[in-house]
Amino acid sequence: MGGFLGFVWNQWTYKPKPLDQDKSLAGKTILITGANSGLGLEAAKELASHKPAKLIVTVRDPAKGEAAKAQIIGNNAGIEVEFWEVDYESYDSITAFGKKVLALDRLDYALLNAGIKQMQYTTSKAGHESNVQINHIGTSLVSLQILPALQKTARIAGQPSRLTIVSSEGHFWIPFKERTAENILLRMDDKETFGQQMNRYYTTKLLNVLWTRELASKVNQNEVIINTVNPGFCYSGLHRHEKTGIIKIFLWALAWTSQQGGHCLTDALVNHPDSHGKYLSEQKVVPPSKFVLSEEGRKVQTKIWNETMELLRKEAPGASFPTFEE
């Protein structure tokens, strides 16, 4: 796992499978962020076919929701599908979203799929580098805002709820030079650290793995099973910012379909009861990168958690934060 040859081999030889047809989601409420297109939309369509009571999909632009809603419902008339607006660049938007989630009667499954792959240095409305803001800071805050709803449902239902954060196999491949900085997240805002091509995107996917592992260590798996997943290299709008012809060659030669990538997301979300704090790829639990598992990786994981919490408490004072037992 993790090497280029292993990546090519897996893309060529493994074909993701859909959920078992008899998998019932009756009575469940499911939340998916970033599901108006691409892998998230395919995951939403597959989950809808298993008849949950309610499917909530988040979008930044509500106008794009209606077309996606028609696809999700498809032949599944009677499924309640709602599109909620949330902007990962706005702490106020995420905070309002969190309060709306907490008001739900239940939340059984949450798939945090929203993300970007920005190939050039840009800053978000919050002032942070855009990949870091959307993929790490925004995702982390969303996970904290919805966690109480997942815990509440688990206590009512008498079984664990589920939270899956989408990462990437690319977390194996980056040097993460910023890890030695006095403040890692602050250093990643410096344009000079952005790197070439996909380095910054892959670094934020590493941050997803570290955040997921630390969050899982603070949450009882009998209440919420928290994991992270690599959906594979797939045809998707995620690649829209890449301008070179190389990506087209790779997509032609290696890519899975968006539907197959969606299968990986749904599998991580509803299967694998032993996956708390774990990383999934090719629809099974596998070790993350050697760095993640190293002593240095463990220390950086704690550092990223502390820096992120400090940043969020400072920049998102209106948000509510769960209390974790040490």
Side-chain angles (χ1 to χ4, degrees):
M1 278 298 300
F4 181 74
L5 291 179
F7 158 74
V8 171
W9 177 257
N10 288 331
Q11 289 289 140
W12 274 348
T13 62
Y14 186 78
K15 298 304 175 188
K17 304 171 184 63
L19 297 174
D20 290 342
Q21 290 185 351
D22 60 356
K23 182 70 174 182
S24 174
L25 297 174
K28 307 298 186 183
T29 295
I30 303 172
L31 167 70
I32 309 177
T33 68
N36 63 297
S37 63
L39 276 61
L41 176 59
E42 293 299 332
K45 288 159 60 177
E46 182 176 6
L47 292 167
S49 72
H50 291 267
K51 311 300 183 183
K54 180 182 289 189
L55 189 59
I56 301 168
V57 174
T58 74
V59 293
R60 284 202 301 173
D61 181 2
K64 297 180 179 179
E66 287 305 314
K69 183 176 181 177
Q71 291 189 59
I72 293 170
I73 293 176
N75 297 322
N76 300 299
I79 301 296
E80 184 178 353
V81 178
E82 297 182 3
F83 277 83
W84 292 8
E85 185 176 359
V86 63
D87 182 354
Y88 276 33
E89 294 190 64
S90 167
Y91 299 123
D92 289 343
S93 176
I94 295 173
T95 298
F97 169 73
K99 291 177 180 178
K100 194 173 181 180
V101 169
L102 190 58
L104 289 168
D105 292 335
R106 65 186 300 149
L107 179 62
D108 301 272
Y109 298 97
L111 174 63
L112 303 191
N113 172 69
I116 62 169
K117 184 166 69 173
Q118 182 61 262
M119 303 293 285
Q120 296 180 342
Y121 181 87
T122 59
T123 56
S124 68
K125 291 182 290 188
H128 301 291
E129 191 278 318
S130 296
N131 290 278
V132 175
Q133 175 69 46
I134 304 298
N135 298 343
H136 173 63
I137 298 173
T139 295
S140 298
L141 182 56
V142 169
S143 71
L144 295 172
Q145 299 308 287
I146 67 174
L147 182 61
L150 291 164
Q151 292 172 316
K152 180 181 71 173
T153 299
R155 290 190 286 268
I156 294 172
Q159 62 183 23
S161 302
R162 303 285 297 252
L163 170 62
T164 294
I165 297 176
V166 178
S167 181
S168 168
E169 186 171 12
H171 88 272
F172 282 83
W173 304 341
I174 44 87
F176 195 23
K177 295 179 181 178
E178 302 91 345
R179 72 186 186 279
T180 60
E182 182 177 352
N183 186 300
I184 296 171
L185 296 181
L186 186 62
R187 179 63 174 155
M188 291 178 74
D189 281 339
D190 288 346
K191 186 175 182 179
E192 67 182 57
T193 69
F194 186 76
Q196 300 296 319
Q197 296 297 320
M198 294 179 285
N199 277 11
R200 176 50 57 85
Y201 168 73
Y202 286 147
T203 302
T204 61
K205 295 290 100 179
L206 172 58
L207 296 184
N208 288 154
V209 175
L210 297 174
W211 176 264
T212 299
R213 287 169 63 86
E214 188 68 16
L215 180 62
S217 74
K218 299 176 182 297
V219 175
N220 188 330
Q221 65 180 331
N222 293 320
E223 283 196 333
V224 186
I225 295 171
I226 303 172
N227 61 31
T228 185
V229 60
N230 163 40
F233 179 61
C234 306
Y235 284 97
S236 168
L238 182 69
H239 309 295
R240 63 188 178 276
H241 295 299
E242 297 193 55
K243 305 301 182 184
T244 67
I246 296 176
I247 187 64
K248 295 180 180 179
I249 295 172
F250 270 82
L251 287 169
W252 172 79
L254 298 173
W256 295 337
T257 65
S258 291
Q259 185 179 53
Q260 289 172 322
H263 294 335
C264 292
L265 301 187
T266 59
D267 172 75
L269 184 65
V270 307
N271 293 327
H272 310 285
D274 60 343
S275 63
H276 188 61
K278 302 297 178 60
Y279 168 77
L280 291 97
S281 190
E282 292 83 49
Q283 298 183 305
K284 60 181 180 292
V285 174
V286 299
S289 71
K290 291 182 179 179
F291 169 75
V292 170
L293 298 175
S294 70
E295 181 63 21
E296 182 186 16
R298 188 193 64 78
K299 292 178 180 178
V300 171
Q301 175 178 306
T302 302
K303 183 174 172 61
I304 288 293
W305 173 271
N306 291 335
E307 287 184 10
T308 304
M309 293 300 294
E310 181 179 0
L311 181 152
L312 291 174
R313 288 193 171 102
K314 178 181 177 180
E315 298 187 5
S320 59
F321 298 97
T323 299
F324 300 105
E325 295 183 5
E326 297 297 333

